[in-house]
Amino acid sequence: MHIQSVLVSLFAVASAHVSMRSPCVRYTPFCETCPELPAGQSLDENINAPIGTHDSIKQPLCKYTTPYGTPAAHWTAGSTVTVDFHPHAAVHGGGHCQFALSYDGGNTFVVIHDELRYCFTGGPSSSNTGSKLEYQIALPSDLPSGDKVVFAWAWNNAIGNREFYMNCADVSIQGKAGGSFSGPQMLVANYGPATPFIPEFNGNYETGIDLYNNRKMITINGSGAYSNSTAAPATGGSGATYSGGAGTSQPGNGGSAGAPAPVPVPAPSPSTPLAPGGSGAYSAGLPPIIGTDIPTSAGSGSPTYAVLSVPAMTPPPMFSTKPAGGNGGYNAVSSAPVYHARVAVIPSSSGNAYSAAPSPTCSCKHVVKY
């Protein structure tokens, strides 16, 4: 059908990167069974080239936004489809690939399969020659039906310039009428300065994995509408296929799933001065005084005192402190307000004698040094 495809391919080999061959992507010169080109469009002699780098955008997402007039493939939800890439690919040591679907014309993509770390190589590699250029992609069974669905492949390479590659194919899907599907929203990185930056791997294939593990979960339906999903963030790995619903991944044929996403730790709240004896005061919850109340003799002469044993106090964890004076107290070394407590004693009714308060009462001082 494309008479000039052979001539074009000779040019393309000289500047080869990677392009998807099947299903037939928009305006590729490497497929004899593609639908007719839309009016006014021409074959892309650089179909393998990236659409952007970390500091510039060269082409829109999908490379081209005008779809074919008819689908290039007809798929059924729940089936497995073959996706393959042209053998003249230069794979730049592998990297992270996503396979995704859009029901709104290519504006929003939900990921159905990941090949992270070792896409095209199957393992760590410094080679430009791909050892794995075909993937079996399981279509989730709860995909909505659609006659104008966009299937996308997106790639962030491991070695070389920081680039973003993307091809799109127009497909139809016979799925669940009125259905919906939940999965990770496709990550777009190294596509202009406003997108996340994934540096060159330099042998570390965990590079950028945190960005994939923290992709936002979305839910799409057949009308093209989408919404944020309440599902947990997906932790996709090499060969992870998303089944929808709970946002979890099932291991595919590419390896094991990646590390779980880090759990965010909330920042500590600012310290608020609290009144002594209040439920939130530093003294709250201290155990009773150990031993007896201070026994004294209230006669003539100086009173005598017994040792008052008080449980050692633990400084608030949000401040940095150090032991001071060997007596169990603490000196604050933070410039922020710190509140420590002393057990107060009150006069007894027996002359100069003193006794401990029935319940420890705290007299809080600002930056007290013992």
Side-chain angles (χ1 to χ4, degrees), residues 18 90-97 115-130 135 155-160 162 165 201 205:
V18 179
V91 301
H92 300 296
H96 308 314
C97 287
E115 289 292 335
L116 303 183
R117 302 176 181 85
Y118 312 124
C119 193
F120 306 127
T121 62
S125 174
S126 59
S127 174
N128 245 355
T129 302
Y135 291 97
W155 175 44
N156 285 107
N157 53 309
I159 297 174
R162 301 296 78 216
Y165 295 78
F201 290 13
Y205 281 81

Side-chain angles (χ1 to χ4, degrees), residues 58-197:
K58 299 178 179 179
Q59 291 179 281
L61 295 181
C62 283
K63 291 181 75 78
Y64 297 97
T65 57
T66 302
Y68 283 128
T70 57
H74 300 273
W75 292 345
T76 301
S79 66
T80 298
V81 298
T82 299
V83 176
D84 77 338
F85 295 83
H86 202 282
H88 64 226
V91 301
H92 300 296
H96 308 314
C97 287
Q98 304 169 92
F99 299 88
L101 295 172
S102 173
Y103 284 77
D104 64 358
N107 294 310
T108 310
F109 288 90
V110 61
V111 176
I112 60 171
H113 186 88
D114 279 331
E115 289 292 335
L116 303 183
R117 302 176 181 85
Y118 312 124
C119 193
F120 306 127
T121 62
S125 174
S126 59
S127 174
N128 245 355
T129 302
S131 60
K132 187 173 179 59
L133 297 175
E134 181 178 296
Y135 291 97
Q136 302 298 311
I137 308 295
L139 300 177
S141 59
D142 52 351
L143 286 176
S145 291
D147 293 328
K148 297 181 178 181
V149 182
V150 182
F151 175 72
W153 155 75
W155 175 44
N156 285 107
N157 53 309
I159 297 174
N161 295 333
R162 301 296 78 216
E163 298 167 332
F164 182 65
Y165 295 78
M166 188 174 182
N167 288 163
C168 290
D170 297 297
V171 302
S172 69
I173 294 179
Q174 181 62 46
K176 187 176 181 180
S180 63
F181 173 76
S182 296
Q185 187 171 16
M186 188 182 75
L187 174 69
V188 177
N190 294 349
Y191 182 64
T195 62
F197 174 65

Side-chain angles (χ1 to χ4, degrees), residues 22-360:
S22 177
C24 193
V25 303
R26 292 174 182 173
Y27 312 171
T28 179
F30 303 123
C31 181
E32 293 296 330
T33 59
C34 286
E36 290 290 341
L37 286 169
Q41 304 297 326
S42 59
L43 297 176
D44 183 358
E45 297 179 352
N46 290 309
I47 194 68
N48 302 340
I51 63 172
T53 67
H54 72 282
D55 56 7
S56 67
I57 294 175
K58 299 178 179 179
Q59 291 179 281
L61 295 181
C62 283
K63 291 181 75 78
Y64 297 97
T65 57
T66 302
Y68 283 128
T70 57
H74 300 273
W75 292 345
T76 301
S79 66
T80 298
V81 298
T82 299
V83 176
D84 77 338
F85 295 83
H86 202 282
H88 64 226
V91 301
H92 300 296
H96 308 314
C97 287
Q98 304 169 92
F99 299 88
L101 295 172
S102 173
Y103 284 77
D104 64 358
N107 294 310
T108 310
F109 288 90
V110 61
V111 176
I112 60 171
H113 186 88
D114 279 331
E115 289 292 335
L116 303 183
R117 302 176 181 85
Y118 312 124
C119 193
F120 306 127
T121 62
S125 174
S126 59
S127 174
N128 245 355
T129 302
S131 60
K132 187 173 179 59
L133 297 175
E134 181 178 296
Y135 291 97
Q136 302 298 311
I137 308 295
L139 300 177
S141 59
D142 52 351
L143 286 176
S145 291
D147 293 328
K148 297 181 178 181
V149 182
V150 182
F151 175 72
W153 155 75
W155 175 44
N156 285 107
N157 53 309
I159 297 174
N161 295 333
R162 301 296 78 216
E163 298 167 332
F164 182 65
Y165 295 78
M166 188 174 182
N167 288 163
C168 290
D170 297 297
V171 302
S172 69
I173 294 179
Q174 181 62 46
K176 187 176 181 180
S180 63
F181 173 76
S182 296
Q185 187 171 16
M186 188 182 75
L187 174 69
V188 177
N190 294 349
Y191 182 64
T195 62
F197 174 65
I198 299 178
E200 195 168 13
F201 290 13
N202 292 318
N204 179 11
Y205 281 81
E206 296 303 308
T207 301
I209 289 296
D210 57 328
L211 294 172
Y212 290 88
N213 284 345
N214 286 287
R215 289 170 295 188
K216 181 172 68 173
M217 298 294 291
I218 61 173
T219 298
I220 54 95
N221 60 40
S223 68
Y226 82 96
S227 60
N228 292 336
S229 172
T230 58
T235 55
S238 178
T241 298
Y242 299 95
S243 57
T248 55
S249 62
Q250 301 297 325
N253 59 6
S256 59
V263 178
V265 178
S269 302
S271 177
T272 303
L274 298 171
S279 60
Y282 184 59
S283 63
L286 284 178
I289 294 175
I290 301 173
T292 61
D293 290 345
I294 306 174
T296 65
S297 58
S300 59
S302 300
T304 59
Y305 299 90
V307 176
L308 177 65
S309 178
V310 180
M313 294 179 291
T314 302
M318 64 184 291
F319 297 109
S320 175
T321 61
K322 62 181 181 180
N327 58 3
Y330 289 85
N331 284 341
V333 295
S334 170
S335 59
V338 178
Y339 295 88
H340 289 170
R342 286 176 171 171
V343 175
V345 292
I346 58 176
S348 73
S349 59
S350 305
N352 293 328
Y354 290 83
S355 63
S359 295

